[in-house]
Amino acid sequence: MSADKKLGSAVYWVNRFKRSAVNLQPGEFCIASKGGMIVTVLGSCISVCLHDPELKLGGMNHFMLPHMAGKELLDVAGPGNKSSLLNGASHLSRYGDVAMERLIGKMVVMGCQKDRLVAKVFGGASISTSKVDVGRKNISFITEYLKNEGIPCLAQDVGGVFPRKIYFLAAENEVYVSKPL
């Protein structure tokens, strides 16, 4: 398994599946092959599980917001330093546009072909009483992003009011979702 910037990622045993798993935190992604499992917990955040069926390689990310506003982008990059955006701090992967580019880019480096990738999308719950429905914005973003990139979405479990725990068996492209009753 390969994880980007293990900020808080931990490997632990999942008895239910009799295998170890990488636990993703917001802003992280992981790519795994045979036997690899990736797990995360989502509220309004989104996780996209990408899979290359020929290589039997899968990856998952966890992002919090669709994209940064222009001023935030400049503040993070610093004056005249836009090149640091894709090579800089991992907290940028908390934004969907960066998280997707990093996940796809890493999968391509590992031999995947973008035109073979398929997606499964999870999260985007409305879990707060805020006037801004972050979950809905995340769902809209990822739906449009996948459409624009020509990546078919084979399955999704998005929206609602409950958080989810996602278990992704990367090589098999199987996803199990656990929600409170």
Side-chain angles (χ1 to χ4, degrees):
M1 280 187 257
S2 165
D4 181 56
K5 309 237 189 201
K6 291 193 173 203
L7 299 174
S9 290
V11 177
Y12 68 102
W13 183 256
V14 182
N15 202 40
R16 173 181 170 190
F17 294 97
K18 305 290 187 233
R19 62 173 79 189
S20 60
V22 172
N23 183 48
L24 286 189
Q25 299 298 314
E28 296 180 330
F29 72 85
C30 181
I31 297 170
S33 57
K34 187 176 181 183
M37 175 182 270
I38 310 166
V39 179
T40 198
V41 176
L42 303 166
S44 60
C45 295
I46 292 281
S47 277
V48 177
C49 300
L50 291 180
H51 185 256
D52 182 324
E54 188 172 309
L55 291 185
K56 304 228 181 289
L57 194 69
M60 182 167 83
N61 61 20
H62 181 152
F63 64 85
M64 299 172 68
L65 297 166
H67 45 76
M68 273 194 265
K71 183 180 181 330
E72 290 173 303
L73 201 63
L74 293 174
D75 288 346
V76 170
N81 188 12
K82 293 181 184 176
S83 65
S84 68
L85 292 176
L86 293 180
N87 299 318
S90 287
H91 72 275
L92 290 176
S93 290
R94 293 181 182 196
Y95 298 95
D97 50 356
V98 177
M100 289 305 298
E101 292 300 321
R102 286 185 172 172
L103 178 59
I104 292 168
K106 184 70 170 184
M107 290 184 76
V108 168
V109 165
M110 294 179 77
C112 296
Q113 290 185 10
K114 189 175 172 186
D115 62 348
R116 288 194 310 243
L117 295 178
V118 293
K120 294 181 180 181
V121 178
F122 304 92
S126 296
I127 58 170
S128 75
T129 58
S130 171
K131 290 182 181 180
V132 178
D133 190 344
V134 175
R136 184 176 309 271
K137 287 180 180 276
N138 283 336
I139 294 166
S140 295
F141 162 77
I142 197 59
T143 301
E144 189 67 23
Y145 182 93
L146 292 172
K147 179 182 169 190
N148 290 340
E149 294 296 318
I151 300 173
C153 184
L154 303 182
Q156 64 179 14
D157 184 13
V158 296
V161 295
F162 294 108
R164 300 159 169 82
K165 187 166 188 176
I166 309 301
Y167 302 85
F168 179 43
L169 284 71
E172 300 91 337
N173 196 25
E174 293 178 17
V175 181
Y176 297 88
V177 179
S178 176
K179 293 184 204 175
L181 297 175

